């Protein structure tokens, strides 16, 4: 009969198999992202080796305190994300929701501070282009071009990460994300930790030379 399921129809994947598929998909996505960031890291390395004095001078114009604060915010946010995943899997959904809210708030705070830094660079004439007016080595403009390109790309990833965290919170509140169906939380957690790790690399590249 037409309404009868064929005997050879594939059975739905088991929860363990589904979780493995989600994890594999996220790891594959992060691998492509790492290749993308890797090209920028290579460009930074080549210019840094070629013009070390200009890059040390550029680092002196960075807001070291704000960069350090942002690093601390992201490290704490990663801890909150990891604890949220653990709490939800343990059935403590309310605690997991609170921790996800904390993760999102810390991410928004990071973006706010980064926006303030960008504005300060614009006011000081350190945005590469026709109005770049910093003195010193002519290669200094390349330092800030890489700074805006690499940290700007990172900021876009952070915005996406905050949006994903908000989506998780909504799902938890609606009950569509549960301890037995927490694969999206684990996958987004991997993404969040990846973005944080990228910043941990960017921080010493732009804020610490010459210090």
């Amino acid at each position: 009969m037409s309404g009868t399921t064929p005997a050879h129809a594939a059975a739905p994947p088991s929860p363990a198999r589904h979780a493995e598929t989600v994890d594999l998909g996220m790891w594959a996505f992060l691998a492509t992202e790492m290749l993308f960031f890797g090209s920028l890291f290579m460009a930074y390395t080549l210019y840094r080796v070629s013009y070390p004095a200009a890059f040390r001078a550029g680092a002196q114009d960075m807001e070291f305190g704000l960069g350090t604060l942002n690093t601390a915010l992201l490290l704490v946010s990663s801890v909150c994300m990891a604890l949220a995943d653990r709490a939800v899997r343990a059935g403590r959904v309310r605690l997991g929701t609170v921790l996800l809210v904390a993760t999102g708030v810390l991410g928004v705070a990071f973006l706010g501070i980064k926006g303030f830094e960008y504005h300060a660079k614009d006011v000081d004439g350190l945005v590469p282009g026709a109005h770049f007016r910093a003195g010193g080595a002519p290669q200094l403009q390349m330092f800030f071009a890489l700074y805006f390109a690499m940290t700007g790309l990172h900021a876009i990833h952070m915005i996406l990460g905050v949006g994903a965290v908000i989506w998780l919170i909504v799902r938890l509140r609606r009950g569509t994300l549960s301890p037995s169906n927490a694969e999206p939380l684990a996958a987004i957690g991997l993404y969040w930790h990846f973005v944080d790790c990228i910043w941990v690399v960017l921080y010493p590249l732009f804020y610490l030379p010459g210090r």
Side-chain angles (χ1 to χ4, degrees):
M1 297 176 62
S2 60
T4 303
T5 302
H8 62 274
S14 65
R17 180 72 173 179
H18 179 66
E20 291 177 0
T21 302
V22 172
D23 285 344
L24 179 60
M26 179 54 70
W27 279 114
F29 170 73
L30 295 182
T32 61
E33 290 293 288
M34 191 63 246
L35 291 174
F36 187 60
F37 274 102
S39 62
L40 292 173
F41 289 140
M42 180 61 68
Y44 175 95
T45 301
L46 292 175
Y47 281 104
R48 170 76 181 275
V49 172
S50 300
Y51 311 110
F55 275 58
R56 286 195 298 270
Q60 301 306 309
D61 288 316
M62 301 298 295
E63 289 81 4
F64 175 73
L66 293 180
T68 303
L69 175 59
N70 259 352
T71 303
L73 290 177
L74 287 193
L75 291 176
V76 174
S77 76
S78 271
V79 173
C80 290
M81 175 61 81
L83 292 177
D85 180 61
R86 184 173 181 179
V88 171
R89 291 180 184 276
R92 306 178 68 182
V93 176
R94 184 174 182 180
L95 175 60
T97 302
V98 171
L99 289 167
L100 282 176
V101 170
T103 301
V105 168
L106 290 169
V108 171
F110 172 92
L111 292 169
I113 292 173
K114 181 52 61 183
F116 176 82
E117 285 190 80
Y118 286 166
H119 176 70
K121 292 290 177 292
D122 183 44
V123 171
D124 293 339
L126 296 175
V127 177
H131 301 290
F132 188 84
R133 61 175 185 269
Q139 296 81 14
L140 190 62
Q141 189 166 181
M142 178 54 67
F143 172 88
F144 284 103
L146 288 169
Y147 164 74
F148 279 104
M150 297 172 76
T151 62
L153 182 62
H154 175 267
I156 292 173
H157 282 72
M158 277 296 304
I159 292 171
L160 295 175
V162 171
V165 168
I166 293 173
W167 177 73
L168 287 174
I169 294 170
V170 171
R171 288 198 61 181
L172 283 173
R173 295 293 300 272
R174 292 178 177 177
T176 57
L177 188 65
S178 63
S180 61
N181 182 32
E183 292 83 9
L185 176 55
I188 292 173
L190 281 175
Y191 175 84
W192 190 272
H193 298 318
F194 168 79
V195 175
D196 287 1
C197 286
I198 291 295
W199 177 258
V200 170
V201 177
L202 293 177
Y203 170 68
L205 293 184
F206 290 106
Y207 292 86
L208 299 186
R211 295 187 183 276

